[in-house]
Amino acid sequence: MRSLQSKASWLLLVALASLALPACKRGGGDEPKDEVVYVKGDDPKMSAAIAKAQGSLETFRAALAAPPADAKSFSVKVGFAWGTKGDREHIWLTEPKLDGASVTGTVNNEPVDVDSLQLGQVVTAPLKDVSDWMYVEGGVLKGGYTLRVLLDKMSPDSRKKMLDDMGFRLE
């Protein structure tokens, strides 16, 4: 499987608030500005998380096609190219629709480096560019592999607060 980023590039992940709450509408005047978290393209844990998300995309597709009764917040994260060095900004898309080779969804956070995208825009991207997927079932996060990597980098207190704020728990 092809890597989504070169070893020299940076993997851009947008604010934990955007990552964790992709089903919530963003962009209101009173909302805090998204924090940006940069992760090196050769980070082994992030690379493994992306590979796991890609390898389990059919699980997400099945849940999206026949959602469990208590499932919500279906979202995918897609890496969009920017710049000339193979850099990617990874952006959560809500209301995802998967077909044989692509995903379509609504941009759920204000892009930082990809000038061609904006909050609320409906976009289509190749499935090969999906870097994560998630939904919440019965209050438990399903998928969210890159989010888990970021949460693991937090202090125990910060992690607990973030999970409390997001309103779901990890298995």
Side-chain angles (χ1 to χ4, degrees), residues 1 8 36 46 63 103 105 117 125:
M1 174 174 43
V36 176
M46 192 61 72
V103 59
L117 297 178

Side-chain angles (χ1 to χ4, degrees), residues 67-164:
D70 56 351
K72 62 182 181 178
S73 302
F74 287 86
S75 304
V76 295
K77 187 169 23 167
V78 175
F80 293 94
W82 66 275
T84 59
K85 298 180 182 176
D87 296 325
R88 291 187 171 270
E89 181 171 353
H90 294 259
I91 297 173
W92 284 104
L93 306 179
T94 58
E95 303 173 28
K97 294 173 184 61
L98 279 64
D99 67 20
S102 64
V103 59
T104 299
T106 303
V107 173
N108 195 55
N109 51 268
E110 196 67 52
V112 174
D113 292 310
V114 179
D115 296 332
S116 62
L117 297 178
Q118 63 186 27
L119 177 69
Q121 179 179 351
V122 176
V123 297
T124 299
L127 282 180
K128 67 179 179 55
D129 291 342
V130 170
S131 54
D132 206 352
W133 58 265
M134 67 162 281
Y135 64 96
V136 177
E137 182 180 351
V140 177
L141 178 66
K142 303 295 182 178
Y145 303 111
T146 60
L147 176 57
R148 293 168 194 267
V149 170
L150 294 175
L151 286 167
D152 285 347
K153 293 177 185 262
M154 300 175 103
S155 71
D157 287 343
S158 295
R159 177 186 164 104
K160 181 183 179 327
K161 182 179 182 335
M162 182 62 66
L163 286 169
D164 289 346

